[in-house]
Amino acid sequence: MEIKATEQPSRVRAFRGIVTPMVTPLRDRDSLDVAGLERLVEHILGGGVHGLFVLGTTGEAPSLGYRLRRELIERTCRLVGGRVPVLVGVTDTAFVESVSLARYAAEAGAEAAVLAPPYYFPAGQAELLEYLRHLVSALPLPVFLYNMPSHTKLDFEPDTVRAAAELPGVVGLKDSSANMIYFHRLQTLFRDRPDFSLLTGPEELLGETLLLGGHGGVAGGSNLLPRLYVDLYEAACRRDLNAVGAYHERIMAISNGIYSVGRYKSSYLKGLKCSLACLGICSDFLAEPFHRFRAEEHAIIRTHLAELGLL
Amino acid sequence: MEIKATEQPSRVRAFRGIVTPMVTPLRDRDSLDVAGLERLVEHILGGGVHGLFVLGTTGEAPSLGYRLRRELIERTCRLVGGRVPVLVGVTDTAFVESVSLARYAAEAGAEAAVLAPPYYFPAGQAELLEYLRHLVSALPLPVFLYNMPSHTKLDFEPDTVRAAAELPGVVGLKDSSANMIYFHRLQTLFRDRPDFSLLTGPEELLGETLLLGGHGGVAGGSNLLPRLYVDLYEAACRRDLNAVGAYHERIMAISNGIYSVGRYKSSYLKGLKCSLACLGICSDFLAEPFHRFRAEEHAIIRTHLAELGLL
Amino acid sequence: MEIKATEQPSRVRAFRGIVTPMVTPLRDRDSLDVAGLERLVEHILGGGVHGLFVLGTTGEAPSLGYRLRRELIERTCRLVGGRVPVLVGVTDTAFVESVSLARYAAEAGAEAAVLAPPYYFPAGQAELLEYLRHLVSALPLPVFLYNMPSHTKLDFEPDTVRAAAELPGVVGLKDSSANMIYFHRLQTLFRDRPDFSLLTGPEELLGETLLLGGHGGVAGGSNLLPRLYVDLYEAACRRDLNAVGAYHERIMAISNGIYSVGRYKSSYLKGLKCSLACLGICSDFLAEPFHRFRAEEHAIIRTHLAELGLL
Amino acid sequence: MEIKATEQPSRVRAFRGIVTPMVTPLRDRDSLDVAGLERLVEHILGGGVHGLFVLGTTGEAPSLGYRLRRELIERTCRLVGGRVPVLVGVTDTAFVESVSLARYAAEAGAEAAVLAPPYYFPAGQAELLEYLRHLVSALPLPVFLYNMPSHTKLDFEPDTVRAAAELPGVVGLKDSSANMIYFHRLQTLFRDRPDFSLLTGPEELLGETLLLGGHGGVAGGSNLLPRLYVDLYEAACRRDLNAVGAYHERIMAISNGIYSVGRYKSSYLKGLKCSLACLGICSDFLAEPFHRFRAEEHAIIRTHLAELGLL
């Protein structure tokens, strides 16, 4: 029997707080670092985050085979055991694979699906909305839209989001565009819909997002320092501008340090996984087309970790 | 027992001629139009093309579920029955899915794999080359590289192609960048490698490609009018400049007519499938995120087909 | 006798506050709306802004002939009469024209030059820095760098800014990239340089810029409602988060209303000039390649102005 | 008394052949290398080219002050003395400066103006057409449109070109987009207008342009080897495919050698000027934001020139 989106529990509707887009601990390109996954889940939940998101960009989902994705979903849901809602990325260029993965996730106990646009073909906004109409009704989980134009080539334009938010089951949006004008425009459009959650992706923008009415963030750095991002969230809730500023500066130090090593745009992901390995939490293996940092970058990351007081 | 790339038959090494990037006839998003597929294969082969390429961009591969992709490979190889080599697109963001599909294709009798860069993450050229090193050695088929930056966000830069061409099993490149300077640069780099096939994607550039030493083309329009593209190829082989010019103009008329209806960048694909349906060859269903042309565009396509003398 | 940058008055060093990037009131493409200019200057200064910037993007500088640019500089400096510092845009693709305009501005009493990268050729960062080295030393005014990649195709990358800030006379940067990660990165780089002013361009980002330590903004909307932007600035100075939020929301209402009419990317500029004309302040003529809003858009702007309580 | 476009001599209407986009020999950023200019003009005309184009991209026009631009126009027209038509780039972000320069050029004896879109503001196509309507009627010379999206951010879309070609005085288009599909599309649109000249910019595309019906090219390399480009043109006129292929390969050798030194996109311009200096023709000084090649690149250019048999 299919679970209907509208019967879902309320933990992801009107969601507020910090979600960790979990890295996927890998032993090699097609097997999980199972012990690392256990340590990582406990490390993250120990920091008090409000949700866990697997198979996002930080989770390298598009680079992972489907068997592995299913194993990761099943193991993570079991490890989390309902302590926080688990969100699962179901973005795919193929409609039927998104449905299949979402069904698996629902059965495993996940509480929401996260969906970026199909990322090969250049769809128009009207086509994108029609795609959402068809797909969302076929998904057994509430859906967060995921705006990620740098990787998908395609924005969810504000009018498209507004229309999609009328579909039963669409509960919020994660914006990773790093375009705060876009984000503020969505906030204005959704002023009358406090149940529709607006979350920011880049952690460098978390401070301002929360100070100006955003509902939360999906912060990659909370794999490493979950408490820092929760602290920032809580400082923003109590309107403590000085504390928010201080946490924001620490996040910028992480960003300018750990995420800025090496030549490529993948520095963030490599720096994050390398740091987790340095701290003994999980393996730093990355699936192709990436690879882990080699000795030289590894040493620089260790220096940054030391400067941040983490070693 | 695994088939080794280097043991492959020679029909795709030093390939010359016209390859049809076959559209995928669909009854709905997850089932083939089987009768249409049979008619389409016979229609294309009847025109004398030199190869058939399934699961490319024109074949909507990224929008199709893996089960359907396998069915299409198996049916097409059986229908073709060795009359021409069948090439299979194995491009995927996940390494293991590319391997899996290529193995299936090899067993089904396909003669080559076609591989564009993984199209989600922004890999650097060094990473792309390392990815090719790992992947090509794991594929049981000769490989054509597929340069398609508009959809993958990533070019195979000339130096990367040159290095990849040293890997056993890499036999050529299809360039769909529409950048003839890039293509000519590759021709210069591969002057001493006539066994490495350089094929062009956009059919609007087929004439000049063949006149100036390119080896062939992967021409979407040869789904519709296979003989026209073969005629152009043969005219170029015999250095008949006037005939090449005339065929080129007919291709431009198709491009300006059938491929230029509607607002979106997908006009080419929709116009092509719509035309095939008008001619009774196969269904015009498109998988999400696209949809077939509706009545208004359908009527315009019919007008263009009539002007081209095809109705 | 040439005025040396280092002898300049201190009003633009360690600048804090709101700068109005003044629209250029035009009677036609080559003559000023002189009466409108007078009204506009008084309107803006009456709102308490801390500086006036002529010949920026909002001022349509690149579309104006040099004679008109000189006339505008001379008249504006005279009208302002030292009440606030006047900043003059000297961005040009030709080095010698930048120098010439800056000399004229210095003699007219302007207090700073504003300089975006030369916007035709794709210079590299090393070339850009060398250009700055040569040009800044030839300019008789302190210089604000102006990051405006959407129009110049070229960013001042953080390391370039850091190096340029060592040149005598470079006093700050206006960032119109709308990329707050870039802005925060600069803030981190310049933590030890409170004398180097970091100003934001897009007014939609003014709230967060000021809450998180930015020094001010160059806000186009302060042509229309100067007091609003000064109020936001003052609220941020006294750390009144609720007031900042309320002013930010009013700015977003302006942005979603007045700046979002019509099809083109120039909606902001046309909406702003149209609004000023509706309020009787100055002409809404725009120089080519733009033109003023026609009747239909004009009516929509009037509706938005009414909704904002401005009519 | 103003010269009317429609009274212009016919040498630029239905133009056919090779135009040299002349580099601007500079002694420093604001003075001409006068002796070099004389040698360069004679060198180019000695090769038999059909037209000379000053103040284009290759001529670094946007980087030159207006006084220098006028001096260059006057000197070049005098040196050419009517042997071939002189075309003058009048592209400018400011309407009135384009008019002013074109008037000067007409009086100096130039026979056509060349006009790219204004390159700062992101105009829409309707605005661009309106701009052309206003500007072309104010110019005293026939006009070639100049499509150069990499530098202007703005294409002349095919429908805009078709509409602009109805304006009296618009006689052709130079396409530097390197997009041959665009070029072929224009050829189809202008099949009934043999008086409207379609010229290609990138010399790497000159062979195919001429083989498939294009009217000529504006080839930077003809500063260096004018006869080569004229030879290619003449071979294409007599339909000698083998000769065209051989000349095309020589051009590709120049492109892969001389134009591919150094890290930046300006390699073409720097390599060209450096080569002219090596051959003793004119100075290699470049105006900011560029600079001439330094010793290391200079040596590489010499090696390439030797390989090409030019030293």
Side-chain angles (χ1 to χ4, degrees), chain D residues 298-308 311:
Chain D
H298 196 94
I300 301 171
I301 291 289
R302 289 191 71 86
T303 309
H304 286 308
L305 288 171
E307 284 166 6
L308 290 162
L311 270 193

Side-chain angles (χ1 to χ4, degrees), chain A residues 29-30 57 60 62-67 69 93-97 118-127 130-131 134 146 148 150-153 263-266 269-270 288-291 294, chain B residues 29-30 57 60 62-67 69 93-97 118-127 130-131 134 146 148 150-153 263-266 269-270 288-291 294:
Chain A
R29 77 167 68 98
D30 201 27
T57 301
E60 299 172 78
S63 304
L64 305 176
Y66 288 86
R67 188 204 57 70
R69 294 192 214 183
T93 56
F95 188 104
V96 299
E97 302 298 344
Y119 46 94
Y120 187 78
F121 284 115
Q125 291 294 311
E127 292 170 325
E130 188 169 326
Y131 164 82
H134 293 175
Y146 178 9
M148 183 59 166
S150 65
H151 288 58
T152 65
K153 301 170 295 186
R263 300 180 291 158
Y264 294 134
K265 290 183 191 163
S266 45
L269 188 49
K270 290 171 186 164
E288 285 98 349
F290 295 142
H291 55 72
R294 279 137 196 181
Chain B
R29 78 166 67 99
D30 202 27
T57 302
E60 298 172 80
S63 304
L64 305 176
Y66 289 87
R67 188 205 56 72
R69 294 193 213 184
T93 55
F95 188 103
V96 299
E97 302 298 343
Y119 46 93
Y120 188 77
F121 283 114
Q125 291 293 311
E127 292 169 325
E130 187 169 328
Y131 165 83
H134 293 175
Y146 179 9
M148 183 58 165
S150 63
H151 288 60
T152 64
K153 300 170 294 187
R263 299 180 291 159
Y264 293 133
K265 290 185 190 161
S266 46
L269 188 49
K270 290 172 186 165
E288 285 100 347
F290 295 143
H291 55 71
R294 280 138 194 182

Side-chain angles (χ1 to χ4, degrees), chain B residues 198-218:
Chain B
L198 290 170
L199 311 179
T200 193
E203 60 202 71
E204 297 88 345
L205 306 175
L206 183 59
E208 56 217 274
T209 294
L210 295 172
L211 288 176
L212 291 172
H215 302 136
V218 183

